[in-house]
Amino acid sequence: MADGAAPVLDVRGLKTVFRTRGGEIHAVNDVSFTLRPGELLGVVGESGSGKSVTMMSLLRLLPAPPADIRGGTAMLNGRDLLAMTDAELRATRGARVGFVFQDPMTSLNPVFTLGNQIMEPLITHKGMTKRQAETRAVELLDLVGIPDARRRLYQYPHQFSGGMRQRVMIAIALACDPDVLIADEPTTALDVTIQAQILELVKELRQKLGMAIIWITHDLGVIAGIADRVMVMYGGQVVEQAPVKELFANPQHPYTRALLQTIPRISGERSERLKVIEGQPPILTGPLTACPFRARCEYRHDACDAANPPRRAIDGRMVGEGHDVACHWHAPAKAEMANA
Amino acid sequence: MLDAGTTPLVQVEDLKMHFPIYTGLFRKHTGDVKAVDGVSFQIMAGQTLGLVGESGCGKSTVGRAMLRLYEPTAGRVLIGGEDVASLAPEALRKKRPTMQMVFQDPQASLNPRMTLSEIVSEPLDEHTDWSRDKKLERVYELMDQVGLNRRFVNRFPHEFSGGQRQRIGIARALALKPKFIVCDEPIAALDVSIQAQVVNLLEDLQAKLGLTYLFISHDLSMVRHLAQKVAVMYLGRIAELSPSKDLYARPLHPYAEALLSAVNEPDPELAARRNRIILKGDVPSPANPPKGCNFCSRCPKVMDICRQVKPDLAEVEPGRLVACHLYEPKTAAGSTGGPEAIELNQQGVNQ
């Protein structure tokens, strides 16, 4: 998508730490990425990899304390989100950046009608009158494929099914025409057939509205079908980043490769035995001084214990633009892939 | 293991589980949620039957009703020749050691105030008169089997990770040397890289101990990996029951077809090429299922008869059972077979 265009969102060196009684947890370690206009960036990782915390940090949605954003910049169309005053931030959340959360059951307020909740950002951010907001809310519900929108406006969240609620959440996030939509595991709580409906909806909306989307998920299958570019996170940092086809065809980081092999497929040859990534994800009690994946890595080497590998571009382009990987050994891994 | 795959260990016949709905001041019985409405299948000894479907389709209820965690409304559940559904309480208690369950959420299914050894030996307290030492010996043996370090024996559940907790749940289920285990979404709460660990463990245990599994899951690709036969459920009934390799190669029931097409393969090339069947709408309420076929309100190949008559599960190809009017021989035309009937219908849809 739109290669070379100025990024909508440019995050550099983001670092978030949680201060807990048991010490500090370094949840996000020096994360940098860009989001170009109209692009869908997939963010993949296991629980605890820092993918949600990264996005929540951008909008300062984490309670502080315990969360503490230690460093970095996040330029949204030239303005630094992390340096904004509270008032500026309030004007940005919902208006310039929309957020869709994982669980549509808990992110809608059960005591207000849906109309109320969709109209709220329109009245606050856009200064619409109630009547204008109502008209817009009906348009939005139509847009996300909720039939009989006008009547539905006066219903409460419990009168909607899970898939319908997630459509409503998307409608709310889209209400103010945001520049960026951040979707945090939006389909994880849904059944596969409903998930397919939502994915189809998002594809349609992208064609119609052309906004840039960040899609957080642990499901590589979802990413394969929807993303333009993928960022793989592990241990609070970006370990690999590439265009979607490149990532699946030519994964470089041992973690990405192992992850792709652990999931059984629905077509093709049935694997006799699933490949396992032994061990557990790391607990990030201090700054990373070595590769976070080394304990579970097949290619562990002295260098992996000595230093945390920086992201390196492997296709001659700038880090963040083409294919880059944070691994001391991406070259041998590549050689072995060719042999396999 | 000698009789693996030849004799059924588990036979479920027309199992029904209805939950009554009471309304009004006098709690009048006004209807039933037909969570399971006439389900039949067999599981061969030493094999795995996958039970898939979306949330609310009744798959977990089948598992629970089979083990008499619910009192089934009707039907028979033969496990090793004995009808569990009608056993008297004391006989049922004696039967319990042969049939066990692994639950979805290892966090919720382990008592946070009990140590690992207390959790795993609780079934032994209940069903054996062993000495403490003997029980501890068995706990150690089980910990070895499921790959937990013996040093953890006095730890509490919160000290373990999700994958380890699920191993504790599995050890507890194995304590009494069961023949049959119902695995109710055992990997749904785990991270992808941990799922494979637990699945491999379940496979190893099956091979070593000759276990028979009912593997309940919504993860179709994992079921393909694990199960020899798969039953696809929709709204309390089985839509299709086929050998795994046939089902995944060529699903016959329109619901099975849609369900499989909705699965996201981790392959962008394939995702771009594939034609998804997007089902309209949501699953109807099991309290008020549609007249006729349960799937008729969302089926892309629906016919008039589907709205009138509930199709029965019938063998349409060797070994493959499907509950769909598309595959019924047309009695009016006399000899019209299944395949021609399908053609007719597809034309009908295309018009």
Side-chain angles (χ1 to χ4, degrees):
Chain A
M1 289 265 141
D3 238 18
V8 192
L9 182 67
D10 189 353
V11 178
R12 299 214 179 267
L14 184 71
K15 197 162 170 33
T16 305
V17 171
F18 288 97
R19 278 184 276 185
T20 65
R21 230 185 296 172
E24 290 187 338
I25 302 290
H26 292 242
V28 178
N29 299 298
D30 195 17
V31 167
S32 303
F33 65 92
T34 56
L35 182 68
R36 297 178 201 122
E39 181 183 50
L40 197 149
L41 174 69
V43 182
V44 194
E46 293 177 75
S47 31
S49 63
K51 52 195 195 304
S52 294
V53 176
T54 301
M55 300 311 156
M56 307 267 272
S57 301
L58 294 182
L59 292 181
R60 288 194 261 149
L61 289 171
L62 299 163
D68 179 11
I69 299 170
R70 287 273 166 87
T73 56
M75 308 301 281
L76 177 73
N77 286 328
R79 300 191 58 203
D80 189 356
L81 287 169
L82 300 177
M84 280 184 179
T85 63
D86 287 351
E88 287 174 316
L89 200 59
R90 263 200 303 280
T92 306
R93 290 178 186 151
R96 316 299 303 280
V97 183
F99 223 113
V100 179
F101 295 94
Q102 171 170 351
D103 190 351
M105 183 73 101
T106 50
S107 40
L108 287 169
N109 191 331
V111 300
F112 289 104
T113 61
L114 286 178
N116 211 311
Q117 299 182 56
I118 302 175
M119 281 148 60
E120 189 190 340
L122 293 168
I123 295 169
T124 340
H125 290 305
K126 294 260 163 172
M128 286 189 183
T129 63
K130 217 178 153 199
R131 185 162 297 242
Q132 287 169 324
E134 210 173 83
T135 315
R136 176 80 179 127
V138 173
E139 281 171 28
L140 284 163
L141 289 185
D142 277 338
L143 183 71
V144 296
I146 291 183
D148 202 4
R150 191 158 285 277
R151 187 175 60 83
R152 290 295 225 168
L153 224 45
Y154 302 101
Q155 292 188 338
Y156 290 87
H158 74 266
Q159 290 165 295
F160 287 74
S161 66
M164 283 293 177
R165 275 191 219 125
Q166 200 57 291
R167 285 172 192 263
V168 172
M169 284 305 297
I170 293 171
I172 295 175
L174 295 177
C176 298
D177 282 323
D179 303 319
V180 177
L181 179 72
I182 300 176
D184 188 354
E185 306 252 11
T187 57
T188 304
L190 306 174
D191 277 313
V192 278
T193 61
I194 308 297
Q195 179 174 309
Q197 291 176 358
I198 297 285
L199 292 178
E200 209 57 31
L201 170 70
V202 169
K203 280 183 200 163
E204 262 177 54
L205 290 175
R206 283 184 69 196
Q207 280 177 353
K208 272 190 216 160
L209 308 174
M211 77 218 131
I213 302 177
I214 297 174
W215 190 284
I216 304 173
T217 182
H218 66 268
D219 188 337
L220 286 160
V222 169
I223 283 293
I226 197 169
D228 300 314
R229 207 151 50 87
V230 188
M231 180 164 104
V232 182
M233 292 190 68
Y234 190 84
Q237 63 184 15
V238 180
V239 293
E240 184 161 9
Q241 192 271 131
V244 65
K245 283 188 184 160
E246 167 75 8
L247 185 92
F248 283 89
N250 185 21
Q252 291 295 311
H253 198 281
Y255 175 65
T256 316
R257 296 174 51 201
L259 207 56
L260 281 168
Q261 285 167 9
T262 55
I263 25 183
R265 303 295 166 100
I266 202 134
S267 54
E269 199 65 21
R270 180 189 166 277
S271 55
E272 267 315 303
R273 199 171 166 79
L274 293 179
K275 190 181 160 78
V276 163
I277 308 178
E278 292 297 344
Q280 305 289 333
I283 296 163
L284 306 160
T285 47
L288 290 171
T289 53
C291 174
F293 189 59
R294 68 186 186 287
R296 306 172 77 184
C297 186
E298 297 174 64
Y299 306 98
R300 185 177 181 170
H301 186 263
D302 293 346
C304 310
D305 299 307
N308 188 12
R311 282 167 72 184
R312 270 181 296 199
I314 60 160
D315 52 2
R317 302 172 71 180
M318 294 267 288
V319 168
E321 296 199 342
H323 189 170
D324 61 71
V325 59
C327 179
H328 290 296
W329 277 122
H330 84 264
K334 197 177 180 180
E336 208 228 47
M337 277 290 285
N339 292 337
Chain B
M1 281 300 282
L2 279 173
D3 53 355
T6 52
T7 52
L9 177 76
V10 178
Q11 280 172 285
V12 174
E13 291 167 12
D14 203 22
L15 182 68
K16 286 184 182 163
M17 185 68 234
H18 296 177
F19 296 97
I21 306 169
Y22 300 104
T23 45
L25 185 60
F26 300 105
R27 315 307 296 155
K28 214 174 120 207
H29 182 191
T30 49
D32 291 295
V33 173
K34 294 176 180 170
V36 178
D37 198 22
V39 161
S40 307
F41 56 82
Q42 299 184 343
I43 314 176
M44 298 299 165
Q47 290 202 346
T48 303
L49 175 77
L51 190 56
V52 299
E54 297 178 273
S55 36
C57 73
K59 57 192 192 301
S60 289
T61 309
V62 168
R64 286 167 177 256
M66 280 173 74
L67 299 191
R68 278 278 286 275
L69 301 182
Y70 296 139
E71 290 298 323
T73 310
R76 303 206 308 157
V77 180
L78 298 166
I79 299 178
E82 254 181 308
D83 182 13
V84 176
S86 64
L87 279 181
E90 191 48 33
L92 179 65
R93 214 182 96 83
K94 294 249 163 60
K95 185 78 183 166
R96 288 248 176 249
T98 57
M99 46 184 203
Q100 292 289 318
M101 186 145 180
V102 176
F103 296 91
Q104 169 169 358
D105 187 351
Q107 172 97 52
S109 61
L110 303 177
N111 187 335
R113 287 167 184 268
M114 287 165 79
T115 62
L116 190 161
S117 86
E118 286 167 346
I119 290 169
V120 176
S121 64
E122 198 181 13
L124 302 172
D125 298 340
E126 199 62 38
H127 289 279
T128 66
D129 51 4
W130 293 359
S131 69
R132 245 168 103 182
D133 286 350
K134 194 172 174 194
K135 279 189 265 190
L136 189 64
E137 200 39 56
R138 176 72 182 141
V139 170
Y140 280 137
E141 196 181 298
L142 289 162
M143 288 174 75
D144 293 345
Q145 272 181 353
V146 300
L148 284 166
N149 194 315
R150 286 187 177 205
R151 280 186 300 134
F152 300 160
V153 72
N154 287 319
R155 289 198 186 176
F156 289 92
H158 74 264
E159 297 174 87
F160 293 95
S161 68
Q164 286 173 322
R165 276 190 215 128
Q166 198 53 287
R167 286 173 196 263
I168 302 174
I170 294 169
R172 174 176 62 186
L174 292 176
L176 294 165
K177 304 193 173 163
K179 292 199 185 75
F180 173 57
I181 297 182
V182 174
C183 305
D184 187 3
E185 303 256 17
I187 55 165
L190 306 175
D191 262 317
V192 190
S193 73
I194 309 295
Q195 286 187 354
Q197 295 178 2
V198 172
V199 165
N200 281 354
L201 173 67
L202 287 171
E203 282 189 306
D204 290 345
L205 291 169
Q206 181 168 47
K208 207 156 55 180
L209 307 171
L211 298 169
T212 305
Y213 292 142
L214 175 69
F215 191 84
I216 301 169
S217 182
H218 65 268
D219 184 340
L220 289 146
S221 37
M222 203 54 98
V223 167
R224 173 176 188 244
H225 176 79
L226 267 170
Q228 284 84 24
K229 273 191 162 189
V230 179
V232 181
M233 270 187 84
Y234 186 82
L235 211 62
R237 294 170 74 88
I238 292 180
E240 176 162 355
L241 174 59
S242 289
S244 178
K245 62 176 193 312
D246 298 336
L247 177 76
Y248 286 87
R250 192 170 52 91
L252 293 178
H253 195 282
Y255 176 65
E257 198 183 346
L259 195 64
L260 284 171
S261 88
V263 174
N264 296 291
E265 278 277 71
D267 182 346
E269 308 278 347
L270 204 68
R273 264 187 289 128
R274 221 150 56 121
N275 256 334
R276 281 168 178 281
I277 304 167
I278 306 282
L279 291 178
K280 296 272 181 291
D282 288 300
V283 183
S285 157
N288 188 17
K291 194 183 170 210
C293 175
N294 279 349
F295 188 52
C296 72
S297 59
R298 300 172 82 198
C299 183
K301 297 179 180 169
V302 65
M303 304 176 282
D304 288 339
I305 186 176
C306 306
R307 300 187 211 277
Q308 304 299 325
V309 185
K310 268 200 203 315
D312 289 320
L313 198 63
E315 187 162 17
V316 299
E317 279 176 29
R320 305 192 64 172
L321 303 172
V322 180
C324 182
H325 291 300
L326 286 175
Y327 300 95
E328 266 165 26
K330 286 272 186 300
T331 40
S335 63
T336 314
E340 285 168 64
I342 306 162
E343 248 172 53
L344 271 174
N345 281 304
Q346 280 170 343
Q347 282 166 4
V349 169
N350 289 338
Q351 276 165 10

